[in-house]
Amino acid sequence: MSAQGEVRGPVRWRAAMEAALYGPEGFYVRPGGPGPAGHFRTSVHASALYAGAVARLLAWVDGELGRPERLDLVDMGAGRGELLAGVLAALPPETAARVRPYAVERAAEPGGLDPRIRWVAEPPEGTTGLLFANEWLDNVPLEIAEDGRYVLVAPDGTETPGGPLDDADRLWLERWWPGAAGPDGGRAEIGRARDEAWAAAVATLDRGLAVAVDYAHTRDARPPYGTLTGFRAGRETAPVPDGGCDVTAHVALDACAGPGAALLTQREALTALGVGGGRPPLALASTDPAGYVRALSAAGEAAELTARGGLGDFGWLVQPVGIGPWPR
């Protein structure tokens, strides 16, 4: 790797991802262009119902905290600030007036950002409220292992075997990816860096709730060949660490979970937050045609957010800090 952070030859996947996503010309920090939303669609982009659900979750946290004078809302991997803008719009004015929103993002602040939003590179220390990470952990760079050795990758995506695993990564696989640490262990994704990143983010919260939402898998059903992939211009593609595409892998959320955490599907979490895909009564079409059309559209969006086999299968890691569990 060069001094500027560009990959020059085969390196381990974690270094290659770091350069491809966050280097000087990395996918997430390159100025101009459509931003990540131009390459893939998240729940935030699918429907305003998602921001509304997060607003209701923030209101629940607010109540648990006794409605403090200052209510922090920290968005990890904030993109262009779309989720924060949607949550602020969905909150009652009296609540929104107490909210201090932080967009945590390594890219430069975009133009036209709501002036209430503080744009920061790291989550602030000592917050009280809700820390929300929507599809952040899947872009935390990680190592790839195959048959007990690191996998090296060149800028064009060509892979070659690397050296043997160090003790910390081997122990992580032995605990969290059964059978993958040995010489015949096959391919696996070492999530230790994600565990550490999540623990560090949660540690910035004095009291409140930390939530990570992502493509996920658990110890009893790890994917046999891993999940590393790329996204370019709205299509899934080969994971080439050249800075021109997203490079992502699903998250072992069970390994990230701290004491008292709960693991839910997005379908379960959004249902608890009042997002449902039921069709409006047909009688409404006669009494309020415009209202019926709006309700029908909302039902379709809710169905997409909670669909089995789709967005509804996302994992939610819910970690309380100094408050009771959610949902109850």
Side-chain angles (χ1 to χ4, degrees), residues 83-106:
L83 178 60
L84 285 175
V87 172
L88 289 171
L91 288 170
E94 60 273 16
T95 304
R98 292 187 288 110
V99 170
R100 289 204 311 187
Y102 294 91
V104 183
E105 183 57 73
R106 293 171 69 171

Side-chain angles (χ1 to χ4, degrees), residues 101-120:
Y102 294 91
V104 183
E105 183 57 73
R106 293 171 69 171
E109 180 177 334
L113 189 71
D114 187 316
R116 293 174 291 180
I117 297 174
R118 296 161 171 83
W119 195 264
V120 294

Side-chain angles (χ1 to χ4, degrees), residues 29 66 86 127 178 191 228 259 266 320:
V29 300
T127 51
L228 188 72
Q266 177 154 295

Side-chain angles (χ1 to χ4, degrees), residues 127-214:
T127 51
T128 300
L130 175 63
L131 182 145
F132 201 85
N134 185 73
E135 294 192 53
W136 169 61
L137 284 173
D138 67 307
N139 287 127
V140 172
L142 82 174
E143 300 288 10
I144 306 296
E146 192 161 336
D147 296 334
R149 307 183 76 84
Y150 292 108
V151 175
L152 307 183
V153 62
D156 65 358
T158 302
E159 294 184 340
T160 52
L165 302 177
D166 64 28
D167 288 345
D169 285 338
R170 178 178 50 79
L171 290 171
W172 189 93
L173 286 177
E174 288 175 353
R175 180 178 181 185
W176 293 110
W177 203 300
D184 299 313
R187 190 175 176 95
E189 295 151 1
I190 304 171
R192 185 168 65 89
R194 275 98 179 264
D195 300 357
E196 293 169 352
W198 181 243
V202 174
T204 66
L205 193 61
D206 279 354
R207 288 187 69 216
L209 194 70
V211 179
V213 182
D214 238 309

